[in-house]
Amino acid sequence: MKKMDVIFRQVFFKNLKSKTWLWIVLGPLVLAAVFGGVFWLMNQTNQTSKIGVVTSSPALTSTLKASSDADQRYISYSSTAAAKRAMADEDLDGVLTISTQPTTHASLIERTDGNGINQTQLQSVLAQAHTKEVAAQLKLSTTQLQGLFATPQLATTSVSVDKGKLVSRSAKTQKSGAMVGFILGMLIYTFVISYASMMAQEIGTEKGSRIEESILTAITPQAQFFGKLLGILALMAVQMAIYGVVTLAGGLLLQRLPKNPLSSLMTNIDLSGISLNMLLFSLAFFFVGTLTYTVLAALTGSLVANQEQIGQATTPIVMLGML
């Protein structure tokens, strides 16, 4: 046990201080920070589009103003010339001119360097406004109009088969399960590529430099193998602990921000669908998967004759992990 402990400490502390392991730990964090920053900037730059409305119908004007939201805002102007002057001053992103004679007709002038205008939403608003205009001409009441265009409600329930029984599952729960599976798969693949190569490098370097024969005269192959394996697993545990601390600290920091950039993303995630059994099975798959590939890397690393052949020896493992 003492000799295996010496091998464990040598592998653990040597790689803990290396720049390679530091990049293995910081690389995913840097990528996550970059993607999070891009997502935050996209939300920050998503400004409200301003559309100037020119029409002689007060009903159309009031309907369009009532349809304003965080994405598009409708502003009334007395003439097309005034609206165009406002657009030239970059106060508007578009000018919407609506004519009601002989039939309702609308034309849009959009500024190419302004905020994008959702024309699908605009057409829906125009259709709604036109419907109210026609209803007013036909002297239909609000109740009659609502009854005419009322849409039957459709209730949808997602279910899954569990031991011959139907179990209700929401769409958010399915998305959460798929998200956890994707994250778990990416973590396993990342750890396999990183630590399998590190394990093969440890054994292949010693064998290629002819130090292996000297080591085996003082220690058994089993003690050397398990010492290196425990050292690599300890490095993996440290990395996972760092990720856990960073995730917890990041979550607490986001909660303190006045405008959480991930609030819109979290609304589509149902954490209640992630059960304890799911987490335990995920951790079990993660541990068994990384352990299996690390052992395979150690076996292939022992087959090389020199250090230059380590990359070729670990290629089948990498391809198997990709599959």
Side-chain angles (χ1 to χ4, degrees):
M1 290 295 294
K2 290 183 178 181
K3 295 180 179 180
M4 186 174 68
D5 183 64
V6 171
I7 296 295
F8 164 77
R9 291 176 179 272
Q10 185 266 338
V11 172
F12 179 76
F13 288 106
K14 182 188 72 174
N15 289 286
L16 188 66
K17 300 176 183 178
S18 66
K19 295 180 180 179
T20 302
W21 186 80
L22 186 63
W23 173 246
I24 291 175
V25 176
L26 295 180
L29 295 178
V30 172
L31 290 177
V34 169
F35 283 116
V38 171
F39 182 79
W40 180 79
L41 287 175
M42 289 175 62
N43 283 312
Q44 292 296 315
T45 55
N46 187 19
Q47 299 179 356
T48 303
S49 301
K50 298 180 181 179
I51 304 174
V53 179
V54 180
T55 180
S56 59
S57 172
L60 286 174
T61 302
S62 61
T63 301
L64 288 169
K65 284 185 175 181
S67 302
S68 298
D69 53 19
D71 295 326
Q72 292 188 166
R73 180 184 172 193
Y74 300 94
I75 305 173
S76 176
Y77 281 84
S78 57
S79 64
T80 304
K84 288 183 177 180
R85 284 196 300 269
M87 187 168 64
D89 295 334
E90 299 185 357
D91 294 332
L92 294 177
D93 300 296
V95 175
L96 178 66
T97 304
I98 304 176
S99 175
T100 58
Q101 297 297 332
T103 59
T104 302
H105 174 74
S107 61
L108 175 66
I109 303 175
E110 185 176 3
R111 188 159 58 92
T112 57
D113 57 344
N115 298 318
I117 297 176
N118 188 344
Q119 296 190 16
T120 302
Q121 179 190 8
L122 179 59
Q123 289 178 351
S124 176
V125 174
L126 286 174
Q128 180 183 358
H130 178 66
T131 301
K132 289 185 177 181
E133 184 79 8
V134 174
Q137 295 175 1
L138 297 176
K139 298 181 179 180
L140 295 177
S141 64
T142 304
T143 304
Q144 292 173 331
L145 184 63
Q146 291 177 351
L148 180 63
F149 291 97
T151 302
Q153 295 183 354
L154 175 64
T156 304
T157 303
S158 300
V159 299
S160 61
V161 180
D162 185 11
K163 298 180 181 179
K165 297 182 180 180
L166 298 180
V167 180
S168 299
R169 294 188 63 189
S170 64
K172 289 185 177 180
T173 302
Q174 295 177 354
K175 290 181 180 179
S176 301
M179 180 189 67
V180 171
F182 176 77
I183 294 176
L184 180 65
M186 291 299 297
L187 281 177
I188 290 180
Y189 182 73
T190 302
F191 274 62
V192 163
I193 297 299
S194 304
Y195 289 98
S197 300
M198 187 181 297
M199 187 66 173
Q201 190 79 20
E202 284 285 337
I203 296 179
T205 301
E206 293 178 354
K207 187 175 180 182
S209 59
R210 305 302 179 186
I211 303 176
E212 190 74 19
E213 290 82 356
S214 302
I215 295 177
L216 293 179
T217 58
I219 189 174
T220 62
Q222 292 83 0
Q224 185 197 21
F225 173 76
F226 286 109
K228 289 183 178 295
L229 182 61
L230 290 176
I232 297 297
L233 292 179
L235 289 171
M236 293 169 54
V238 171
Q239 183 175 356
M240 290 302 298
I242 293 174
Y243 286 172
V245 172
V246 171
T247 302
L248 180 61
L252 295 176
L253 179 61
L254 288 175
Q255 290 180 356
R256 294 179 177 272
L257 293 177
K259 292 184 178 180
N260 190 343
L262 298 180
S263 58
S264 60
L265 180 62
M266 294 302 295
T267 54
N268 297 321
I269 299 176
D270 184 14
L271 297 179
S272 62
I274 304 177
S275 61
L276 179 61
N277 290 335
M278 183 178 183
L279 290 177
L280 292 178
F281 275 108
S282 299
L283 291 175
F285 274 114
F286 177 79
F287 178 76
V288 173
T290 52
L291 179 63
T292 301
Y293 281 101
T294 304
V295 172
L296 288 175
L299 296 176
T300 55
S302 64
L303 299 176
V304 302
N306 52 63
Q307 188 175 357
E308 288 74 17
Q309 296 177 350
I310 295 176
Q312 298 177 357
T314 56
T315 299
I317 299 178
V318 175
M319 298 300 295
L320 183 61
M322 291 178 64
L323 293 176

